[in-house]
Amino acid sequence: MSSRTLPRSFPKKELLMSYKPLYHIFSDGAFLNDPNGLLYENGQYHVFYQWNPSYPGGKRVGWAHRCSTDLIHWTELPPALLPDNWYDRCGCYSGSAVMKDGKIHLLYTGNVRDDGCERETYQCLAASDDGEHFTKYAGNPLLSGPAAGYTAHFRDPKVFADQNGYAFVLGAQTTDEHGRALLYRSPDLLSWKLDGALQFDDPELDDFGYMWECPNLFELPDAATLQKHAVLLFCPQGLKPWGMRFRNRYQCGYIVAPRTFNGTGAFIGGSAFEEIDRGFEFYAPQIFSAGKRTLMIGWMGMPEEEDQPSAQENWMHCLTVPRTVWMENRKLFQWPVEELDGLHGEKQSISLLPLENEAAKLPDFSGACYDMRLTFDTTRAQSLTLSLRQSEQQEIRITFADSVLRIDRSRSAYAPGDPVREVRLRHPEKLDLRILSDRSAMEIYVNGGEEVFSLRCYLEEDAVHTHVGIQGKAVLTKGEFYPMHA
Ligand code: FRU
């Protein structure tokens, strides 16, 4: 294979001063996990998240709060919830937001460990008059403990309003250790009744992990048929790896019902469970509506995987960028919100670059914070490799061969467990990649958002280059590169 460096138009040197992302939400000096309470109201986007400012010395989890009018510039507001009541003293765990009487209402799980270290779980409410300061409901908790037949792993209410009032889905575990999503209903957000566990027609889901965390229940129209479908998106724990599937420590995926949601627990799952992200770090996402758009933000982390180099800088984990979500033929697609283009610097581009048994360096396409789009015609290629964020020692490597796209981060400073994730593409004749690189965070969108890989990538300062390698013939039909500015 021959190797060439394409002429570059201007020299560029970007110093990677730290692992801290420029345009992904993280919390400096703190531990961040699940996004909570995602809401669009009155021209404002609200993002809350699980936040432990005592990290790394201790654990005191509350909800941090940020808001934005454009999804790219975020203002930090006072923490919305702190673990200062008897029913949430060991943590204000995950939950969600809904509007009622013009006020933001938050539903969340109060986590308590009793003196014997046994877990107690309470579902709680807080509300705000000004969208900034939240007061916990005097009648808390709304639910004291789990329903009969369930353990104290009973958390993460995701609330919504419908024609029958309010409802939430909740992550739960049966006493014989099977994960479930429960539906509760309320006329007023204050008194709640269990409707039942969501029902599926796929028997595989009866025994599908020992706990389901962070469920979301929502509806989407299918772009192919225009028919609306209910979707359950959730995070089952305890699934075994199976071929290319379920390679993360814990999973996150969805089931599409053949119909809309009928308001009760009789949700009949039509499709098989499909992972929403192919790894490595994606968990506990929340879905919310913003005008005509359905948006999603996920946690770019994984429970119990905290041994990351960012610990040296006293922070841990980040969120994904906001993504638009839609459905085509009962499959969910994702794409970064278009507002992100507002962070673009000067565009570099390539068109119609033929490649034949060679490796080419794309010198204009270099940096650590960028938005890069590459479209290849691969009909005559045996394989294609793409080295991202490459230095002499390091890279994130993408390989595409026999319809399988593979991401390998073994040559980076954080690769716990299996350093490879793979997916078989449904339309392998072309390969369209959009790569969001943000220092130690990377999101890879494949073929128009049909597949997404989210990962943390810890790389040295000079790991900024992009290389393409082809066996056989291929054409880089279009390449666009934008440095990203905060
Ligand atoms: C998911 C999760 C939730 C819980 C929260 C606690 O990552 O375990 O189930 O509410 O994190 O921080």
Side-chain angles (χ1 to χ4, degrees), residues 11 29 36 134 147 194 203 221 250-251 271 290 341 385 390 400-401 410 471-472:
N36 292 151
F134 287 82
L194 176 62
Y250 299 124
Q251 316 313 321
S271 67
D341 296 359
T385 54
Q390 197 190 41
F400 182 53
S410 54
Q471 292 289 348

Side-chain angles (χ1 to χ4, degrees), residues 399-437:
T399 313
F400 182 53
D402 301 325
S403 310
V404 173
L405 189 76
R406 145 192 261 258
I407 316 286
D408 181 347
R409 66 170 173 185
S410 54
R411 278 162 49 87
S412 78
Y414 179 67
D418 180 358
V420 169
R421 297 287 186 279
E422 292 175 317
V423 71
R424 183 171 296 282
L425 299 185
R426 297 191 304 174
H427 304 286
E429 60 283 357
K430 69 158 195 188
L431 182 63
D432 176 87
L433 297 171
R434 177 168 180 191
I435 294 136
L436 295 178
S437 168

